[in-house]
């Protein structure tokens, strides 16, 4: 073929027509390629009728039917959402169990003639609000100075405590039962203190050091019936707490079901009578010298809502060991529970927590191991607060 400037002679084609033919062929090629490689829309995929080959279907395209491999996109989406769906189902079941537990608690209170808490009546009438955590501070009748030291250090008071509940979803209460003679002088003293501060949670429990396992069980059962929270925390009244840091730690595990958080330990089972932490049922743990199963130390620990609900529903059959932290750990043996060991929940007093705060690793809880709490906490908790506290702004600026 020869190239000519003018009209065709000798069968030749002009340069202008050649250029036009090339452009046309290029555009036609692009159009053909796009139609071949564009994925079919969902509504273009025909449903298999069972008469053709499995896994194949026909695509309605302008160039005629073509066979393509069939993909069940719904199955793919279901697989991707399985984990989230299981978590949602677990949370739903736990919520229903909580409502059942709350109804049982109310029924028992009515049958026993016990007064029903106003907060419980309110929650039943207007619906239960969701909170991040309920912090129960374990205290005794003789611990007025400890309670005051906490009120003036890490626990907000008055309107600030209400703001903490409304804006951050954090409930803090001193947890105490009643004396062996209900209505006695120590009970009246607590009632007067509660009228002044409004920061008590009274539970149906006879106070006594050797009855801490029963108190812990009653606390969780009562708390889960009063407040719908992601976590329920127990802390002793001689421990310093940084609320925002604790909230951040717990919120990182909010989507997990059946979570048990604390400083996990496995101490020796003490078989000698008269020593501190003596275990009367030591024979259940095997030969002398054996250790306990792994459990959280008793100064501070947290459990998720479904575990608190489990305790509430089964509280009448859960065995109580002499040491309450051992009891709590034993209640979860045999359950599918995730144990989370976080050492920020058991820092030492200054200089330990002070150095960690300066390094940007703020502690959630601080105490002295040798005293199982802050030694002489009524006075020394001020020192711990001044050197190890996260600061008030950290709490109000925190997002959980």
């Amino acid at each position: 073929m020869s190239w000519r400037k003018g009209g065709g002679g000798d069968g030749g084609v002009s340069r202008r027509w050649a250029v036009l033919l090339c452009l046309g062929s290029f555009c036609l090629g692009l159009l053909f390629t796009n139609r071949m490689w564009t994925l079919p829309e969902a509504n273009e995929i025909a449903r298999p009728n069972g008469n053709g080959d499995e896994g194949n279907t026909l695509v309605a395209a302008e160039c005629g039917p073509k066979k393509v491999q069939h993909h069940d996109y719904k199955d793919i989406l279901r697989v991707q959402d399985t984990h989230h769906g299981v978590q949602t189902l677990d949370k739903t079941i736990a919520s229903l169990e909580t409502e059942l537990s709350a109804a049982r608690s109310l029924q028992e209170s009515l049958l026993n003639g016990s007064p029903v808490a106003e907060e419980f009546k309110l929650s039943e009438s207007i619906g239960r609000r969701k909170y991040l955590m309920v912090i129960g501070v374990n205290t005794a009748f003789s611990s007025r100075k400890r309670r005051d030291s906490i009120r003036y250090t890490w626990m907000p008071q008055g309107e600030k405590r209400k703001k903490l509940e409304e804006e951050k979803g954090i409930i803090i209460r001193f947890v105490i039962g009643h004396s062996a003679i209900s209505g006695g002088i120590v009970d009246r003293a607590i009632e007067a203190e509660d009228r002044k501060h409004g920061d008590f949670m009274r539970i149906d429990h006879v106070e006594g050091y050797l009855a801490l396992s029963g108190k812990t069980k009653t606390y969780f059962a009562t708390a889960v019936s009063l407040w719908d929270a992601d976590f329920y925390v127990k802390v002793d009244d001689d421990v310093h707490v940084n609320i925002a840091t604790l909230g951040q730690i717990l919120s990182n595990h909010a989507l997990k079901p059946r979570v048990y958080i604390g400083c996990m330990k496995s101490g020796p089972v003490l078989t000698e009578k008269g020593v501190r932490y003596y275990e009367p049922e030591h024979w259940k743990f095997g030969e002398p010298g054996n250790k306990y199963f792994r459990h959280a130390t008793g100064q501070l620990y947290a459990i998720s809502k479904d575990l608190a609900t489990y305790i509430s529903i089964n509280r009448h059959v859960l065995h109580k060991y002499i040491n309450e932290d051992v009891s709590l750990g034993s209640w979860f043996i045999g359950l599918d529970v995730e144990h989370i060991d976080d050492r920020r929940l058991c820092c030492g007093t200054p200089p330990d927590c002070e150095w960690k705060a300066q390094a940007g690793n703020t502690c959630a809880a601080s105490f002295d191991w040798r005293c199982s709490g802050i030694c002489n906490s009524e006075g020394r908790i001020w020192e711990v607060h001044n050197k190890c506290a996260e600061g008030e702004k950290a709490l109000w600026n925190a997002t959980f």
Side-chain angles (χ1 to χ4, degrees), residues 245 344 352-363:
T245 303
R344 289 174 292 176
D352 180 48
C353 60
E354 183 180 11
W355 291 342
K356 290 176 180 177
Q358 293 173 355
N361 188 26
T362 304
C363 296

Side-chain angles (χ1 to χ4, degrees), residues 306-366:
D306 32 15
L307 292 183
T309 302
Y310 170 81
I311 293 174
S312 178
I313 294 174
N314 299 283
R315 62 185 180 276
H316 298 299
V317 296
L318 292 176
H319 183 70
K320 295 176 291 186
Y321 290 98
I322 193 69
N323 299 308
E324 52 98 6
D325 53 352
V326 173
S327 293
L328 183 71
S330 71
W331 298 337
F332 302 147
I333 291 179
L335 302 182
D336 187 12
V337 174
E338 181 177 358
H339 291 58
I340 297 175
D341 181 27
D342 196 315
R343 311 315 287 185
R344 289 174 292 176
L345 300 177
C346 56
C347 295
T349 55
D352 180 48
C353 60
E354 183 180 11
W355 291 342
K356 290 176 180 177
Q358 293 173 355
N361 188 26
T362 304
C363 296
S366 302

Side-chain angles (χ1 to χ4, degrees), residues 204-399:
D204 186 13
H205 170 78
V206 178
E207 285 292 323
Y209 180 77
L210 298 180
L212 287 179
S213 293
K215 183 176 182 179
T216 300
K217 184 162 52 174
T218 304
Y219 157 63
F220 284 124
T222 306
V224 80
S225 70
L226 292 177
W227 298 288
D228 180 11
D230 289 329
F231 294 96
Y232 298 85
V233 182
K234 177 263 178 183
V235 60
D236 290 337
D237 61 3
D238 54 358
V239 174
H240 182 270
V241 177
N242 281 320
I243 303 173
T245 303
L246 177 60
Q248 291 289 356
I249 292 173
L250 299 185
S251 63
N252 290 334
H253 306 286
L255 295 180
K256 300 177 181 178
R258 299 175 300 280
V259 176
Y260 176 31
I261 307 175
C263 288
M264 300 296 165
K265 65 176 184 177
S266 179
V269 179
L270 301 181
T271 61
E272 183 180 351
K273 289 185 178 181
V275 300
R276 192 179 187 185
Y277 305 128
Y278 163 68
E279 178 57 71
E281 299 178 84
H282 56 83
W283 63 273
K284 291 184 177 180
F285 298 93
E287 300 300 323
N290 282 355
K291 292 185 176 182
Y292 287 110
F293 41 79
R294 190 72 61 179
H295 62 279
T297 187
Q299 286 80 5
L300 185 149
Y301 47 72
I303 61 175
S304 55
K305 176 184 175 181
D306 32 15
L307 292 183
T309 302
Y310 170 81
I311 293 174
S312 178
I313 294 174
N314 299 283
R315 62 185 180 276
H316 298 299
V317 296
L318 292 176
H319 183 70
K320 295 176 291 186
Y321 290 98
I322 193 69
N323 299 308
E324 52 98 6
D325 53 352
V326 173
S327 293
L328 183 71
S330 71
W331 298 337
F332 302 147
I333 291 179
L335 302 182
D336 187 12
V337 174
E338 181 177 358
H339 291 58
I340 297 175
D341 181 27
D342 196 315
R343 311 315 287 185
R344 289 174 292 176
L345 300 177
C346 56
C347 295
T349 55
D352 180 48
C353 60
E354 183 180 11
W355 291 342
K356 290 176 180 177
Q358 293 173 355
N361 188 26
T362 304
C363 296
S366 302
F367 56 88
D368 296 308
W369 281 102
R370 61 189 177 91
C371 296
S372 297
I374 299 175
C375 300
N376 302 317
S377 64
E378 299 92 336
R380 288 195 61 239
I381 197 171
W382 292 90
E383 174 195 353
V384 178
H385 186 69
N386 289 334
K387 295 182 177 180
C388 303
E390 60 197 354
E392 190 172 356
K393 289 184 179 180
L395 177 58
W396 302 117
N397 293 335
T399 56

Side-chain angles (χ1 to χ4, degrees), residues 129-163:
R129 175 192 162 171
K130 189 71 174 179
Y131 294 92
L132 171 63
M133 61 179 171
V134 176
I135 303 176
V137 184
N138 180 41
T139 191
F141 290 118
S142 59
S143 299
R144 173 64 186 266
K145 291 183 178 180
R146 286 186 178 183
R147 292 191 292 272
D148 284 341
S149 67
I150 288 177
R151 291 183 179 114
Y152 296 130
T153 52
W154 63 264
M155 179 177 176
Q157 291 297 294
E159 293 301 318
K160 288 185 178 180
R161 183 166 59 83
K162 294 181 180 178
K163 180 181 178 182

Side-chain angles (χ1 to χ4, degrees), residues 164-225:
L164 184 67
E165 297 176 3
E166 295 172 358
E167 295 186 6
K168 302 301 180 181
I170 300 174
I171 303 289
I172 308 177
R173 294 289 189 275
F174 289 107
V175 180
I176 197 166
H178 56 82
S179 63
I181 304 176
S182 184
I185 186 171
V186 290
D187 291 297
R188 294 198 298 271
I190 291 296
E191 291 170 1
E193 189 178 345
D194 193 24
R195 285 194 296 269
K196 179 179 179 180
H197 297 283
D199 54 6
F200 277 92
M201 174 183 172
R202 302 299 300 274
I203 61 176
D204 186 13
H205 170 78
V206 178
E207 285 292 323
Y209 180 77
L210 298 180
L212 287 179
S213 293
K215 183 176 182 179
T216 300
K217 184 162 52 174
T218 304
Y219 157 63
F220 284 124
T222 306
V224 80
S225 70

